[in-house]
Amino acid sequence: MEQPSIKEQSQARGLIEWRKTLDQQLDELLAGGEKIRDVVHARAQAIDDMLRLLWEQHELPHHNLALLAVGGYGRSEMLPYSDVDILILSRHDIEPELGEKISGFVSSLWDTGFKPGISVRSLTECLEAAQDITVATTLVESRLVAGDEQLAKKPRQIVSTAWTDKTFFQEKMLEQQRRYAQHNNTESNLEPDVKNAPGGLRDLNQIGWIAKRHFRVVRVYDLVHLGFISEFELRELEDAEDFLWQVRYQLHRIAGRDENRLLFDYQRDVAARLGYVQQEDDAPNHAVEQFMKTYYRVAMKVSTLNEMLLAYFFESVIEPRLTDEEKPHRSSINERFDMIGGKIAVTHHRVFSQTPSALLELFYIMASQPEITGIRAKTLRLLMLAAKTIDDNFRANPVHRAMFMAILRAPHNLYETLHAMKRYGVLGKYIPAFGQIIGLMQYDLFHIYTVDAHTLLLIRNLRRFGKPEFAKDYPVVSSVFQRLDRKEIVYLAAIFHDIAKGRGGDHSELGAEDAIEFCRNHGLTEREGKIVAWLTRNHLVMSITSQKKDISDPDIVKDFADHMGDMVHLDYLYSLTVADINATNPKLWNSWRASLMRQLYTQARDIIRSGLDRPVDHQLIIDDTKFEAMQTLSNQYAYEDIEKIWCEMGDDYFLKERADEVVWHTQAMIEHGDNPDPLVLIREHRKLAKDTAEIFVYTRDLPNLFAASVAVLDQMDLNVQDARIITAAKAFSLDTYIVLDRFGTLLSDTDRQGEVIYALTNALSRPEEFPTLLERRIPRQLRHFAVQTEVSIHLNTALQQNIVEIMTLDQPGLLAKIGGLFMMQGLDIHSARIATLGERAEDSFYVTKRDGIPMTPDESKAFAHKLQLALDEASQVVSVVQ
């Protein structure tokens, strides 16, 4: 590959112009199809030439010095904004005159526009510095650029003196563990670091560092001849490295700096530059999702090879040198497997070829014996090769099918076992549809895991429901899960619930078809298979009902119970839904959502147990609520005072409100009397939702009360989860807001409560003066999502109210903006259900016109159009301003 002459460029336009020319030519070569590996090395070679020129210009070749490239530059791996790390090594302390020449050399290097990392050390200083593992690592990869060739051999000798094979290996593994922990120990972060995260370039470097330290080789290729790595494994590592270099190269170019984080800001551009093109008939975000799927698969391959090769190094190099007391104990499991130091190992290298079922038997043993903590490296190498042979004949074998079901029914470590099956290539081959979702991400902030990772986390959550130590966090669902007769049914539903994502069409329906076929092939009864398919088809029903519908409405709960049909389906779906939400995005799960889920479950359970054929007795519910509330209130107030308040409320109030809410409201209204000033009260929400607060507002009814209230709550960093607005007959409004503190703290501090009460009281005393919305900076991640606003309006005939459902981009002050739009349209809000799912806000409002009459179909259609235009415009303004 031709490069611009450093001498010519330095004489004609200077080193900065030479660097610009170099960057341009290398960019053009890469765009023209040149291999990334050649481009990366060519940049390093060009920098070598530049440094040699500067070295000569400052008369440094005449001294006993070695100019060494270290770090990534030592490996000849230079991206556009990589640091130029060099070591100037001398045999003795630097004399002042020589020090001045070195300073001149260093200054000229800064002038080139490169970012140098420079160390100047004597041999003695180098030995001292090498006690630090980071310095020792850079020395392992030192490469002579100019100067004393004999001196250039010293750094590796110094590392051998400072570190033994064992101590170097142990320290590098601890370093890797700490690095993994900083990235949540997963390859599938939404915005991964392509250099430092698990499966990134550092994992490839780690293999080289440890192997080069022991085998004294310069190139990773030399490890093939030493038997440390196979030709096939080397090709896989190099292909992965090429891809990660491509990604990092484009990140540098787009960001204009040494950027290694694959942020949402860059993902679309990187995908486009690597050839992932969005076609007109593609699903939204198809191109970027396919690019990220490739990234996650490459990252998983890298981290798996890293794990296997480093374990192999330990077993073949470190372990033989241990004392007899230190060496792991070996015991027999059966004729095919042994256990060595807590890890499973084959008894001979032909186990998988002679007994194909051993491929699954290994994992069954892991799931049955909790003392097994992993797989020995040599066994893992054989396993990964054998997994590639799984085909239709293997899958059709009754022994293999029985073994797979035995794994699901095994008593221990199911999540860990399935995770290992996925990681080592077995699960995706045994269930090909699952193989298609490995690495599949959804380009949003709601699903923070890849589909395969989410699926296995769901199973982990289900298993936790069966463990006593998690019962305090999930008391109701734990008891429900533990009484399920056939837990493998819900495990299979977990495997198949999202298995059809990415295919197009309804993934729930397509997944249900896959599930029923799998169940028939694996010995489940027809009824059991239908339950698995039903759960797959309906896995979103309970979540949608609890979070987006008004479950204080008995008719909605009755419809849900009818859909369940019996307690078996309800119990399975409840367990699956709670585990699913927690595995989608842990930040979504809070005690408020938990309370909604429990409320829906217990109410549906009561309906099923009392008989689905019984109609909802609205009057009985009203009477029961009044009776329970009256028992408490009659100890404090006269019956006449209570009835005076209640007669103004209407039956719908007692149909939807709990008795304890009625007590709280009635007490407040009696004590407030005819005072025209607003009354604002705050209490921690009922015991089922301990991290939420309930704000009760009792004031004169005015058109913009809702909009003003939510604007104040937004100013106070409170997110509204639920709202109910009730207008009493004497033109007073009773508004209840369930709120969560935006910063995750409890609203129990009396000073903080006082601030909220003061702000609301002040605003509601003058509701015509709409509170100024705070100009908040939209979170960085939200700026990269285009959410199409959708508005639908339909009539609830029982309530005679319009239900306005809105999906739009989440943004600061959104709820207050919506309230203002309702106010301008002359609509009263009776209740609201608020749901923020990643970058999407999905809110529902029950409204009527001011006279209590719902909108006509034509009015609904016109308002839906107006509302959609206004919200789309607001989203665009936010995007432009921010």
Side-chain angles (χ1 to χ4, degrees), residues 604-675:
R605 178 196 62 194
D606 293 343
I607 291 172
I608 291 171
R609 287 178 175 175
S610 63
L612 290 171
D613 55 339
R614 292 180 57 183
V616 177
D617 190 334
H618 296 87
Q619 191 57 51
L620 179 61
I621 296 173
I622 293 168
D623 292 343
D624 285 347
T625 301
K626 286 184 173 181
F627 178 78
E628 187 177 344
M630 183 63 77
Q631 281 187 310
T632 301
L633 291 167
S634 60
N635 295 325
Q636 300 173 269
Y637 306 104
Y639 177 82
E640 294 77 13
D641 292 336
I642 298 171
E643 279 296 317
K644 181 181 177 182
I645 297 292
W646 284 4
C647 69
E648 298 173 349
M649 306 308 296
D651 286 347
D652 190 52
Y653 171 77
F654 295 98
L655 190 64
K656 292 187 175 182
E657 295 291 346
R658 294 161 56 98
D660 69 306
E661 307 288 328
V662 173
V663 169
W664 192 40
H665 297 166
T666 305
Q667 288 172 332
M669 288 186 283
I670 291 176
E671 296 295 333
H672 199 60
D674 294 328
N675 188 336

Side-chain angles (χ1 to χ4, degrees), residues 502-563:
R503 294 190 208 168
D506 186 334
H507 77 278
S508 300
E509 290 292 340
L510 295 172
E513 294 174 8
D514 290 350
I516 198 71
E517 180 182 1
F518 185 91
C519 292
R520 285 171 180 163
N521 291 336
H522 285 75
L524 277 74
T525 66
E526 192 69 17
R527 181 175 182 274
E528 290 167 344
K530 286 181 178 179
I531 294 175
V532 174
W534 183 90
L535 289 168
T536 303
R537 187 178 296 111
N538 292 278
H539 69 272
L540 296 173
V541 169
M542 193 169 194
S543 175
I544 290 172
T545 303
S546 65
Q547 295 183 70
K548 297 184 181 180
K549 296 185 179 181
D550 184 3
I551 59 173
S552 65
D553 185 338
D555 293 318
I556 286 177
V557 179
K558 177 63 165 61
D559 289 342
F560 174 77
D562 287 341
H563 190 70

